[in-house]
Each structure stands twice: as C-alpha cells, then as structure tokens.
C-alpha cells in the first residue's frame, strides 16, 4: 500500500470523502487522490516522494509557482509580528490601495477570506442596493457554494431555478435564474420578462469551472447594456480570472466595466484571501457605513495580506504576462500538434495563464458543447500523465494553470509525455 493510499484510508475516517473540498477526491477521474507534502516552483511532491509538474497550482492562486521565496519570506515576517488582530492593520490599507489602483472599475474594496465569501457578499450587496431579489447566473459557471448560487436551471425556459444541492431552500433558489453561457439572446429575453426584479447578473468573464470557455464579445456587451438599462448590478466574478488572464484581469482583457467585481486565488498568493469591490455608491451600502451586513473574524488577515502584496508586486513586473501567456500557448500548441500527429480528436486553448484541453475537435463555446467532450478519454489521459509525473486538474470540467515558474523545458517534457500517450491512444483506435 502506498502512503497516499494509507493517508486516504485514514482521511476518510474523519473527513467526509477524505478531503476538505470535493473536487480533490478524484471522484471524477477515479483512483486515489495525491496527498502533497511539498511544492517548489512548478513542482509538487506527493506523500510517496513522487514529483509532478503541477498544472493546478492550488486551482489558480500559485501564479508565481510553489513556495516563491519572496512570498514565503513576507508571510514568515508577518507571522513573527502576530498572526491576527481582529483590528485594522496598515497592510490592509496598502492592499486596498493596490487593488483599487490595479482595477480601475473598483473605487472601494472589502477583503474577505475566500471567493465564496466575496461572491456571497457581492450578491447580498446588489440585492440591498437595488431592493430586488432576483439574480441571473449561467449554467456551468461556479461562483462558490453560497445558497443562492447552488441552483440549476428551472424546468421551463426563463423559469426560475431549483436547488442543485440538498439543503438549499426552494424558496431561495426560486430567485435565481440560470441561463446559457454565451447566449446573448436569452439575456435579452430574461430582462424583457423579469427586468424590474433583477438585482444582479453574476458571470465568470472567462468560464473556468466547466473547463475553459471563452466569452463571446456580444455576450458580455449585452450583459453590460441590459444591466445598465434595467438598473441591475453587473458582478464580474474574477476569482479565477483576476490577474490570471492578464494584468487587467478579464475585465481589462475584454473591456467590460463591472459595477462590482469579486477576487480571490491570485490576490492571496496561496493564502486565504478574497475581495469584493466596485462603485463607491454601491460599496457605501456595506456595514458599518450602510445597511448591508457583512463581516469576518479573519478578514484582511495580516499573513494573507502580506502574501497578496508580495504576489501583486511581482506580477506587475514588466513582461510578466507576455512570458506567462507564451508558456501557456506553448503547452496548448504542443498538445494539439501531438494529438493531431496521432489522429486523436483533441483541442486546446490558452487565455493568459489559464488553459483548457478538450477531447473534442474544437473548443466548446457553452455548457452543452462541453458535455460533448469525451470524458473517458480525458480520464485516461489524466491518469497516464499522472503516472508519468504530470498533474492536471482531476476533472474534465476544470481549467488548467501555468505559473511563472514553469520553464520551457517543463512544458516541452509535458508535451513529449503527452505525445507518447496520444500514440498509445491512436494504436487502440
Ligand atoms: P473559493 O470559495 O473556493 O475560494 O472560491 C469560489 C469560487 C468563486 N468563483 C470562481 C470563478 C471560482 O472558480 C471559485 C472556486 N474555484 C474552484 C475551482 N474549480 C475551487 C476549487 C475547489 O472548489 O476546491
């Protein structure tokens, strides 16, 4: 029995599914999850001492790679001054100033401890600001696990949603309308029918939780125009895309001006940190200034703030995103060429430092097309790469991430390993 297997057996005794977040359990791909013990740069080592080149990076935060010395030192120095105060600190002021400077649409910002808290708070704020209850989200998009967001599409077109999780009250889910991603026409119809009830639209500006789906320009534009016309709040959820797809995040890349934005992952550099922010007239509704309550014991935690400030300083260095994007494209182009060489139906795309790989002839444009991807082929590919020492997200419905620490040699080794796997695939076809 391997140490990973032993740890997984022990873990399942006292932790539901043996994990503290479901996707880690490998249920989508099968097998025993990796228990990691150490990370450095693009590499992680599991409990059996096996090294992997990591393309998950803790689901996006580790844009600098694992254990970046500047980030680690910042956290160590902060820790030596005290772990938490439950009182304001200068670091939080500095981070707020940096975030407002890096995100032109944000005039004010509130720090929290996770992406879920950021989106949950932003939705409550939009409802408090507008006095309305309804919200629009899109099928396949994930914005964390607050109740109003664990909702699946209603039975009829443009009918309000039903819970997608046990424990979510139906009379809460009924305020959520779930539309198709990239379907501008449906957005127009939804606002025509419900416009005066809609508090907000929340969107992943690049979808990364149903694999990677690029937005259609007309989709984002329709969203912005309709929210403006009907007085709804546009929440752009940048928890995954924030400072991942570019220095200006997705809103800078696609030129969309949110009313509120949510952040997480990269801004904490691997430490627990989220944020929501936007127009001053909206943010002033948040307690203690306004009537919308929101709070958190560890909000703005000094160690998370130190990691965030160190990370955001390093990603602002000239050429950072050009290099990161080039590496991510090198990976995708190499994988596509290798698959084509062996006649395997496969496609891939890169947006900044995130990528999608698909066992489908071309990248999907919405949830229904994602479902056409060959999940079994992905699972076989995942495990073959894992055995060879390359760690992809353990689900066909997740995006992948490259860090600044990945070198061309790491990327090329990954492509070479994939080539051998595609060769075996084609031999079986
Ligand atoms: P957290 O509460 O997990 O920090 O953030 C929730 C969230 C919000 N918005 C977007 C766009 C997100 O991608 C996420 C979380 N992403 C998942 C990755 N699929 C986190 C991984 C997990 O759930 O373990």
């Amino acid at each position: 029995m391997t140490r990973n297997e032993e740890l997984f057996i022990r873990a399942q005794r006292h932790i539901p599914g043996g994990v503290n977040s479901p996707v880690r359990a490998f249920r989508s791909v099968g097998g025993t999850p990796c228990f990691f013990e150490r990370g450095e740069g693009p590499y992680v080592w599991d409990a059996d001492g096996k090294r992997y080149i990591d393309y998950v990076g803790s689901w996006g935060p580790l844009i600098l790679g694992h254990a970046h010395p500047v980030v680690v030192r910042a956290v160590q120095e902060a820790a030596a001054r005290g772990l938490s105060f439950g009182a304001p600190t200068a670091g939080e002021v500095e981070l707020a100033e940096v975030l407002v400077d890096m995100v032109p649409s944000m005039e004010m910002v509130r720090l929290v401890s996770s992406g879920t808290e950021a989106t949950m708070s932003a939705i409550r704020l939009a409802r408090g600001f507008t006095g309305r209850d309804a919200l629009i989200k899109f099928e396949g998009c994930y914005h964390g696990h607050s109740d109003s967001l664990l909702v699946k599409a209603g039975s009829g077109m443009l009918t309000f949603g039903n819970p997608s999780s046990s424990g979510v009250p139906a009379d809460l889910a009924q305020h959520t309308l779930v539309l198709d991603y990239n379907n501008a026409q449906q957005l127009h119809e939804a606002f025509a029918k419900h416009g005066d009830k809609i508090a907000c639209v929340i969107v992943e500006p690049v979808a990364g939780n149903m694999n990677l789906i690029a937005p259609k320009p007309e989709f984002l534009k329709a969203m912005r125009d309709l929210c403006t016309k009907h007085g709804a709040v546009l929440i752009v959820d940048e928890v995954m895309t924030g400072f991942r797809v570019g220095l200006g995040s997705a809103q800078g890349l696609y030129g969309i001006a949110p009313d509120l934005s949510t952040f997480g992952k990269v801004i904490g550099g691997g430490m627990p940190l989220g944020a929501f922010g936007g127009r001053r007239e909206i943010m002033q509704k948040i307690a203690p200034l306004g009537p919308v309550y929101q709070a958190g014991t560890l909000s703005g935690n000094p160690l998370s703030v130190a990691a965030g400030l160190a990370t955001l300083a390093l990603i602002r260095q000239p050429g950072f995103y050009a290099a990161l994007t080039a590496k991510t494209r090198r990976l995708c182009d190499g994988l596509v060429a290798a698959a084509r060489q062996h006649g395997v139906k496969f496609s891939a795309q890169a947006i900044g430092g995130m990528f999608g790989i698909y066992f489908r002839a071309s990248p999907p444009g919405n949830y229904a097309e994602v479902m056409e991807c060959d999940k079994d082929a992905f699972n076989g590919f995942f495990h073959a790469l894992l055995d060879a020492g390359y760690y992809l997200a353990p689900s066909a419905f997740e995006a992948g991430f490259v860090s600044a620490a990945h070198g061309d040699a790491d990327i090329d080794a990954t492509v070479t390993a994939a080539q051998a796997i595609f060769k075996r695939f084609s031999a079986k076809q």
Side-chain angles (χ1 to χ4, degrees):
M1 181 183 295
T2 66
R3 180 127 171 78
N4 274 315
E5 290 165 339
E6 179 201 323
L7 282 168
F8 194 39
I9 289 167
R10 279 177 52 200
Q12 291 174 85
R13 287 193 203 117
H14 304 299
I15 305 171
V19 292
N20 286 308
S21 197
V23 71
R24 304 176 189 175
F26 273 33
R27 287 183 172 237
S28 183
V29 293
T32 299
C34 299
F35 284 67
F36 290 136
E37 292 201 337
R38 184 167 75 87
E40 187 178 325
Y43 312 122
V44 284
W45 286 262
D46 73 10
D48 292 295
K50 181 175 179 175
R51 192 197 81 164
Y52 303 85
I53 295 181
D54 179 17
Y55 288 104
V56 180
S58 185
W59 303 96
L62 298 175
I63 197 165
L64 297 172
H66 289 276
H68 189 289
V70 171
V71 179
V72 170
R73 192 176 320 117
V75 173
Q76 287 171 330
E77 288 171 359
R81 296 194 298 269
L83 300 182
S84 179
F85 306 103
T89 61
E92 293 163 76
V93 179
E94 189 184 346
L95 182 53
E97 290 167 345
V98 166
L99 287 171
V100 164
D101 180 54
M102 294 177 80
V103 186
S105 68
M106 272 199 325
E107 296 174 300
M108 298 189 90
V109 63
R110 169 62 61 86
L111 301 180
V112 294
S113 298
S114 71
T116 291
E117 270 194 275
T119 58
M120 174 179 70
S121 306
I123 287 166
R124 183 181 310 127
L125 175 56
R127 285 171 160 162
F129 177 71
T130 60
R132 303 174 184 175
D133 294 337
L135 78 89
I136 288 177
K137 75 175 290 287
F138 300 93
E139 188 170 29
C141 286
Y142 175 71
H143 304 283
H145 62 90
S146 64
D147 285 351
S148 285
L149 291 164
L150 295 181
V151 177
K152 59 180 182 282
S155 50
M157 282 306 293
L158 301 185
T159 54
F160 283 86
N162 302 308
S164 62
S165 163
S166 301
V168 173
D171 56 20
L172 182 61
Q174 69 178 349
H175 298 294
T176 301
L177 189 57
V178 183
L179 304 180
D180 292 338
Y181 194 80
N182 271 335
N183 189 328
Q185 182 53 38
Q186 253 190 16
L187 261 173
H188 282 283
E189 291 164 3
F191 270 94
K193 189 173 179 184
H194 304 295
D196 59 348
K197 294 202 292 284
I198 296 169
C200 60
V201 175
I202 185 165
V203 68
E204 286 187 59
V206 172
N209 286 285
M210 53 173 144
N211 209 322
L212 186 150
I213 307 286
K216 290 179 182 169
E218 66 270 19
F219 175 60
L220 295 177
K221 184 177 184 321
M223 198 177 299
R224 176 62 278 170
D225 295 347
L226 288 162
C227 282
T228 303
K229 180 180 175 188
H230 292 270
V233 173
L234 175 57
I235 303 172
V236 172
D237 179 358
E238 301 250 28
V239 167
M240 185 182 282
T241 54
F243 310 115
R244 167 58 66 176
V245 298
L247 186 58
S249 303
Q251 56 193 273
L253 193 63
Y254 296 103
I256 185 164
D259 299 307
L260 293 177
S261 301
T262 53
F263 289 89
K265 297 183 193 278
V266 168
I267 70 165
M271 294 291 284
L273 187 62
F276 65 98
R279 286 169 38 206
R280 184 176 297 276
E281 67 171 321
I282 301 177
M283 289 300 290
Q284 287 182 328
K285 296 291 184 185
I286 282 283
L289 267 184
V292 180
Y293 195 69
Q294 187 278 332
T297 302
L298 297 177
S299 294
N301 173 269
L303 279 65
S304 297
V305 166
L309 284 170
T311 300
L312 294 175
L314 288 167
I315 66 173
R316 296 179 90 167
Q317 289 179 344
F320 181 88
Y321 285 95
L324 183 69
T325 302
K327 286 173 193 173
T328 316
R329 287 211 180 110
R330 185 184 185 100
L331 175 68
C332 291
D333 294 348
L335 293 174
V336 167
R340 185 173 296 130
Q341 185 185 340
H342 295 289
V344 175
K345 190 161 66 170
F346 179 91
S347 54
Q349 67 180 324
I351 301 179
M354 66 193 278
F355 65 91
I357 60 173
Y358 321 91
F359 282 86
R360 184 178 187 271
S362 61
N366 57 39
Y367 183 77
E369 292 181 359
V370 167
M371 291 302 126
E372 294 167 358
C373 295
D374 184 338
K375 182 170 178 275
D376 293 337
F378 171 83
N379 289 354
F381 185 65
F382 169 85
H383 278 290
L385 272 181
L386 191 70
D387 292 347
Y390 303 87
Y391 187 69
L392 291 180
S395 164
F397 308 111
E398 294 286 351
F401 305 95
V402 174
S403 82
H406 284 76
D408 286 351
D410 301 310
I411 302 287
D412 295 347
T414 309
V415 171
T416 302
Q419 190 139 21
I421 296 164
F422 287 134
K423 186 175 181 182
R424 292 203 299 272
F425 272 31
S426 61
K428 286 179 189 166
Q429 279 176 354

